[in-house]
Amino acid sequence: MTTPSMSWRPTYRSSKFRNVYGKVANREHCFEGIPITKNVHDNHFCAVNNKFLAIVTESAGGGSFVVIPVTQFGRIDPHYPKVCGHQGNVLDIKWNPFHDNIIASCSEDSSVRIWEVPDDGLRRNLTESVLELYGHSRRVGLIEWHPTTSGILFSAGYDYKILIWNLEIGEPVKMIDCHTDVILCMSFNTEGSLLATSCKDKKLRVIEPRSGKVLQEANFKNHKVNRVVFLGNMKRLLTTGVSRWNTRQIALWDQEDLSMPIIEEEIDGLSGLLFPFYDADTHMLYLAGKGDGNIRYYEITLEKPYLQYLMEFRSPAPQKGLGVMPKHGLDVGACEVFRFYKLVTLKGLIEPISMIVPRRSETYQEDIYPMTPGTEPALSADEWLSGINRGPVLMSLKEGYNRPNKLVFKAPVKEKKGGVVNGIDLLENVPPRTENELLQMFFRQQEELRRLKDELTQKDIKIRQLELELNNIRNSPNIIYRGNSNGFLG
C-alpha cells in the first residue's frame, strides 16, 4: 500500500542559520564621544579591519577621519588625533584588504589619498599621506580595493568616470567612461574579473574593468537600482532600490542576462536607502536601511524561492552607516559569523553588533566557517593588468587567523600631479562646472598660497637664526676666528 503524498503540507527548508541572532556589545565595548560626520552623502563613513576602526568625523575646514585601535573601547578624547590632509569633506574610506595599516580616502577636493597608520595607532594628527592621487575633475564619491590584487584601487567621481590606479607607480592606468551620470555603487565578483555598477541614470551595468567594456546592461522600469552586490560565485547579482510605487525593494539578477530580474521582493514603505551586505561563506544577505535601526537577514539559494527570510535584528537607534569586520577578525569561539559596527550619529556612538549562530559545542564549527579569502593577494598589479585572473588565496579560520602579514607597502616617488589615461590628460583645462566647484578651486589655490607663504616665512626665520649664530661665533672671546679655509679654532 502506497502512502499518499502530503502535498497539503507547507514546504519547509531547514537551515543551520535559521536561528542566527544579533547581539549588541556591552556599553563598555562600544566607542563613544566620536563627532560622526553629518554629511548626507550615501556612504557608510566607516571602515574596519582586525586592527583599526576608522570613522569620518565632522570637521571645520577640510575633511578628516579618526583611526582608533579596534580594542580601544570607551569614550574617545575630544582632542584624539585625526587623519586630516584633505581640503574638502571626506566621502569614503576603505582599508587595504592585504595591509592592515594602509587606508584609502576620497574627498570633495577631487583627490584620492593613501595613508599609512602606525602599528600602535595615531599619537598626533596625520597630515602627510603616503600618496596623493589626482585624476578626477570633480569630487570623488567612491573607492574600492581590488579583491585579489595588491596595489590596485578603483575610484568613482562626480565626473562620471571610474579610474583604476596602480599604486606601485602612483598613476591611473585605466579609465572606464561608460556612465552618463553619478556612479552610486561598485561591486566586484570573487576574483575581481567583473565589476558591477549602479548609476543615477537608473542603469545596472556589468563591466570588464581592464577593457572598460560593458558586458551587460539593465534599464528596468519597475525597479530603480541604488545599490548592487555580487553574490560570490553564484553568478548572481542582488540590487536594492525603489519600486514604481516608491516602496523599498530588492531584486535578484543573472549576471549573464540582465534583461529581467529573476525575482523582485518588496521590503517596506520606508524611504531610507537599503544597504546590502553579502557573506559568501554562509550565503547570507543582510539588509540595513539608512536611518532605520533594523537589519533583516536572508539565506540565498540557487533554487526557488532563492531568498529565504530568516529573521530581523531590531534596535530603536537609527544607523548612519555600518562598517563590517573582515572574516579573519571574528570571534570563532563564540560562533560569530558577521559583525557590524553601527554609527549612531546623535549619540556619537559606534556600536558593535555580532551575528551569532547559537551552538553549545566548544569545538571549532567547520560547517559555518569554510575556507575564506585571506590576507594574501593572489596577483600583483602587473599580473592583473596583463589579463590574468585568479581567485582569492583562501585561509582557514581554525589556525589562529592572526598570522603576521609580510606584505610591505612601498609608495612610489611622485613629482607630478595628475596623469594621462587612454591618451587623455585628466587635469588639462578642466573648467569648474558649478559655483561650488569654482569656490573649491579658489580655496585650494588660497590654501596653496598660504602654505608657500608659510614655507617662505619659516625659511626666512631659519636664515636669520643662522646669521645670528654666525655672528655669535665670530664675536665670542673664547673662539679665534681665522678668515681662511681652516675655519674656527678654540
Side-chain angles (χ1 to χ4, degrees), residues 53 98 173 279 292 368 396 470:
L53 171 68
F98 310 115
V173 286
D279 180 0
D292 306 358
I368 60 173
S396 166
L470 197 59

Side-chain angles (χ1 to χ4, degrees), residues 36-158:
I36 300 164
T37 180
K38 294 182 174 68
N39 196 306
V40 294
H41 187 69
D42 282 329
N43 258 348
H44 293 295
F45 301 112
C46 174
V48 64
N49 63 21
N50 63 336
K51 274 172 86 170
F52 298 111
L53 171 68
I55 309 287
V56 179
T57 55
E58 193 66 17
S59 60
S64 64
F65 57 97
V66 292
V67 174
I68 307 159
V70 84
T71 52
Q72 191 180 313
F73 316 112
R75 184 161 288 279
I76 303 303
D77 189 294
H79 304 294
Y80 194 85
K82 294 183 172 70
V83 180
C84 49
H86 282 289
Q87 272 97 44
N89 288 327
V90 174
L91 298 179
D92 199 9
I93 47 175
K94 294 274 165 48
W95 288 106
N96 186 324
F98 310 115
H99 198 304
D100 287 339
N101 297 55
I102 299 293
I103 189 168
S105 63
C106 64
S107 162
E108 287 182 350
D109 65 9
S110 308
S111 76
V112 177
R113 299 187 189 212
I114 311 297
W115 311 85
E116 185 161 17
V117 178
D119 272 329
D120 56 351
L122 298 180
R123 294 274 176 260
R124 61 184 67 84
N125 282 355
L126 182 60
T127 54
E128 289 295 315
S129 55
V130 189
L131 268 178
E132 284 182 36
L133 307 173
Y134 290 92
H136 288 282
S137 59
R138 302 183 74 187
R139 59 183 169 158
V140 188
L142 278 177
I143 42 176
E144 288 290 345
W145 293 92
H146 191 275
T148 62
T149 307
S150 62
I152 293 285
L153 182 74
F154 284 59
S155 63
Y158 276 62

Side-chain angles (χ1 to χ4, degrees), residues 300-321:
I300 294 191
T301 56
L302 285 170
E303 303 83 36
K304 285 184 178 179
Y306 305 115
L307 275 167
Q308 185 81 35
Y309 174 77
L310 294 171
M311 223 184 287
E312 183 174 1
F313 166 80
R314 292 173 179 268
S315 160
Q319 56 232 4
K320 166 88 173 181

Side-chain angles (χ1 to χ4, degrees), residues 30 41 102 109 162 194 258 283 362-363 409 418 467:
C30 294
H41 187 69
I102 299 293
D109 65 9
I162 294 174
L194 295 174
L258 299 184
H283 305 300
E362 298 293 313
T363 57
F409 183 82
E467 283 174 346

Side-chain angles (χ1 to χ4, degrees), residues 8-53:
W8 52 271
R9 284 194 174 173
T11 54
Y12 175 76
R13 216 180 127 267
S14 66
S15 165
K16 61 186 114 170
F17 303 111
R18 193 160 46 92
N19 295 314
V20 167
Y21 65 96
K23 182 183 177 185
V24 181
N26 297 332
R27 196 65 183 232
E28 60 266 24
H29 289 113
C30 294
F31 304 83
E32 293 185 72
I34 298 169
I36 300 164
T37 180
K38 294 182 174 68
N39 196 306
V40 294
H41 187 69
D42 282 329
N43 258 348
H44 293 295
F45 301 112
C46 174
V48 64
N49 63 21
N50 63 336
K51 274 172 86 170
F52 298 111
L53 171 68

Side-chain angles (χ1 to χ4, degrees), residues 17-26 30 248 267-268 270 274 277 284-289 291-298 309-319 321-322 338-344 349-356:
F17 303 111
R18 193 160 46 92
N19 295 314
V20 167
Y21 65 96
K23 182 183 177 185
V24 181
N26 297 332
C30 294
R248 296 197 294 192
I267 303 299
D268 57 33
L270 299 177
L274 268 182
F277 302 89
M284 281 176 70
L285 170 77
Y286 300 87
L287 292 180
D292 306 358
N294 304 352
I295 301 171
R296 296 173 175 86
Y297 37 105
Y298 302 77
Y309 174 77
L310 294 171
M311 223 184 287
E312 183 174 1
F313 166 80
R314 292 173 179 268
S315 160
Q319 56 232 4
L322 291 159
F338 215 73
R339 191 191 304 159
F340 292 103
Y341 284 77
K342 173 177 167 175
L343 277 60
V344 185
L349 177 71
I350 315 297
E351 200 174 56
I353 302 167
S354 298
M355 309 309 291
I356 291 171

